[in-house]
Amino acid sequence: MAKSSSSKQNSTIDPYKFLKIKLNLNGSLTRNYVVPTVPPSSDPKDSQPALSRDITLNAAAKTSIRLFIPNPPPSSSTTKLPLILYFHGGGFILYHPSSLIFHHSCSTFAAEIPAFVASVDYRLAPEHRLPAAYNDAVESLLWLKSQAQNPTQSDPWIRDHVDFSKCFIMGNSAGGNIAYFAALRALDLDLSPVKIEGLLLNSPFFSGARRTKSELHLINDHILPLPAGDLMWTLSLPKGADRDHVYCNPTISNAIYGEKIRRLSRTFVNGYGGDPLVDKQKELVKILEAHGVHVESYFCEDGYHAVEIFDRSKAQALVDYVKKFILSTVTPQSSM
C-alpha cells in the first residue's frame, strides 16, 4: 500500500471492502485478514532475534499475552531487562500479537533495546466494545504486579529476566490509545513493586467530531482513509457515542481527567506528517506538555501511518528512538 496525498473533500471508499471485513447480523465481524499470523517459538536454535511464547491472561475472556526475550536470552545472573507492556494496532477491531507485523516489531524491540516485551492479546470490538480493551489492559497491569509479588509462582522467563522497577507501557495506533488510557488508569492502582517509568505512543489513534486539516487533506489516504477510521470508531466506541467521546477525542479526555494527566510518567510520542491522525497526535502532545508532563515527540514529515511496516529505515528509526527513550529514562543521567 502506498501513501495518498489526496485533498478531495469527499470519499467514495467503501470502508468494509477496504478493511476486508463484514458486519454480521449478530453484531460480530467476519475478518478476512491479509496479514498472516505466526506461532511463537521458544527454541534458541531457531534463527530469530527473539524467543517468544504465549501465556493465558484471562481464560474466561480468552485473552493472552505473548512474551518476547532476546535470543539468546541473557543469563539470569546478569543485569535484568526493562519490560515493555505492548498493545498492538488495528483500530480496536483487527489483529493480534501473533499477527506478523506486530510479532516482528516486538521481536525487534526485545532484541535491539534489549528488553522483555509482553504483548497483550486484548478483546476486539465490536464483539467487545470499549472500554473492554482498557479493562484488559488494566488486567495485564495487575497480572504484572502478581508476577512481581510472587516470584516463586511467576513465569520463569519473567522471574529470571525482568526488572520490575523499569516498566513501560507502549502502543501502536489503536494500541497507543489503549496505552494512554491504561497509563491513566494505572495512576489509581497500587502496582508496587512494579514501577511504570514511561509511556510510549507510536502514531496513537485519536479523532474527534470536527475534522482536522490532516484528516481532510488525507481523506483518501491509502493506509487509513477517513471512512475506514470513522468505521473503526463506530464499531469500537460504546453504542450511541460519537467521536467526541472521551475515548476518542483527547480534548475531551483532558476536560475529564484534568489534573490526573499531570501525574503521567515521561512520555514518548512518534508521528508522521502524512498520517491523517497527525493533528490529533500533536494536540495530545500539547495537552501533555500543558500539564507539565515530560514529553519527547518526533514528527517526521515524510512518513505516513504504519510506515514502519513498509519502510525499513523508518522501522529502524522507531527502534532507535524507543531505545534512546528507555535507556535515558532508566539510567541515572535521566535525572540530571
Side-chain angles (χ1 to χ4, degrees):
M1 291 184 289
K3 182 188 73 168
S4 166
S5 59
S6 171
S7 60
K8 295 179 181 179
Q9 299 301 300
N10 296 296
S11 176
T12 59
I13 291 174
D14 182 332
Y16 287 96
K17 289 183 179 180
F18 181 86
L19 295 170
K20 296 179 172 57
I21 59 175
K22 177 184 177 182
L23 184 62
N24 302 314
L25 292 177
N26 64 358
S28 67
L29 280 186
T30 296
R31 301 168 173 88
N32 299 302
Y33 287 116
V34 296
V35 176
T37 59
V38 293
S41 177
S42 58
D43 186 353
K45 295 180 182 178
D46 288 349
S47 56
Q48 53 189 335
L51 308 179
S52 58
R53 60 189 182 84
D54 296 333
I55 64 171
T56 298
L57 176 59
N58 184 317
K62 298 182 180 179
T63 55
S64 61
I65 301 178
R66 178 162 290 191
L67 307 179
F68 298 83
I69 57 173
N71 184 24
S75 168
S76 58
S77 62
T78 62
T79 301
K80 293 189 176 182
L81 301 171
L83 179 139
I84 299 173
L85 188 66
Y86 182 88
F87 299 93
H88 66 80
F92 305 106
I93 65 172
L94 298 171
Y95 305 125
H96 302 275
S98 61
S99 299
L100 178 62
I101 51 179
F102 300 114
H103 177 93
H104 177 73
S105 292
C106 290
S107 294
T108 304
F109 288 132
E112 295 198 21
I113 291 176
F116 188 104
V117 181
S119 182
V120 181
D121 190 11
Y122 54 86
R123 288 172 292 173
L124 299 178
E127 294 87 349
H128 306 281
R129 290 175 177 268
L130 296 173
Y134 304 151
N135 295 339
D136 295 340
V138 169
E139 187 166 23
S140 69
L141 287 166
L142 294 175
W143 161 82
L144 186 59
K145 174 184 177 178
S146 71
Q147 295 289 302
Q149 287 184 324
N150 304 292
T152 60
Q153 300 177 23
S154 67
D155 183 274
W157 276 14
I158 295 174
R159 180 186 62 237
D160 294 343
H161 299 296
V162 170
D163 183 340
F164 293 103
S165 70
K166 300 175 181 178
C167 295
F168 296 80
I169 303 175
M170 180 176 184
N172 176 74
S173 192
N177 176 294
I178 295 170
Y180 176 67
F181 286 103
L184 286 171
R185 289 192 177 197
L187 297 173
D188 295 327
L189 302 175
D190 177 8
L191 296 176
S192 181
V194 172
K195 185 176 181 181
I196 305 300
E197 286 287 314
L199 177 61
L200 300 115
L201 309 178
N202 179 40
S203 301
F205 190 42
F206 291 96
S207 188
R210 183 177 181 178
R211 303 301 190 188
T212 66
K213 289 183 179 180
S214 60
E215 286 176 331
L216 292 173
H217 178 63
L218 297 163
I219 191 171
N220 289 314
D221 183 70
H222 285 182
I223 301 296
L224 188 61
L226 200 57
D230 287 352
L231 179 59
M232 288 171 166
W233 284 116
T234 297
L235 294 173
S236 58
L237 287 171
K239 288 186 177 181
D242 64 17
R243 292 188 307 278
D244 277 341
H245 192 278
V246 60
Y247 300 156
C248 180
N249 192 332
T251 297
I252 305 301
S253 70
N254 180 37
I256 291 177
Y257 287 102
E259 290 300 305
K260 181 179 284 190
I261 295 175
R262 187 181 301 274
R263 296 164 51 203
L264 287 173
S265 304
R266 288 164 53 101
T267 300
F268 164 87
V269 180
N270 187 66
Y272 303 97
D275 184 350
L277 309 180
V278 69
D279 285 349
K280 279 296 178 182
Q281 294 161 4
K282 290 180 177 179
E283 179 181 309
L284 177 65
V285 168
K286 290 180 179 178
I287 289 170
L288 294 169
E289 291 176 338
H291 283 284
V293 178
H294 176 98
V295 181
E296 295 183 22
S297 61
Y298 299 88
F299 289 97
C300 181
E301 290 307 314
D302 66 343
Y304 50 92
H305 196 75
V307 65
E308 306 91 359
I309 299 171
F310 310 97
D311 187 325
R312 288 188 179 183
S313 65
K314 291 292 190 296
Q316 186 60 54
L318 176 61
V319 171
D320 292 343
Y321 285 145
V322 170
K323 180 176 181 177
K324 177 182 177 183
F325 179 83
I326 288 178
L327 294 183
S328 67
T329 301
V330 300
T331 54
Q333 287 84 354
S334 65
S335 63
M336 295 177 63

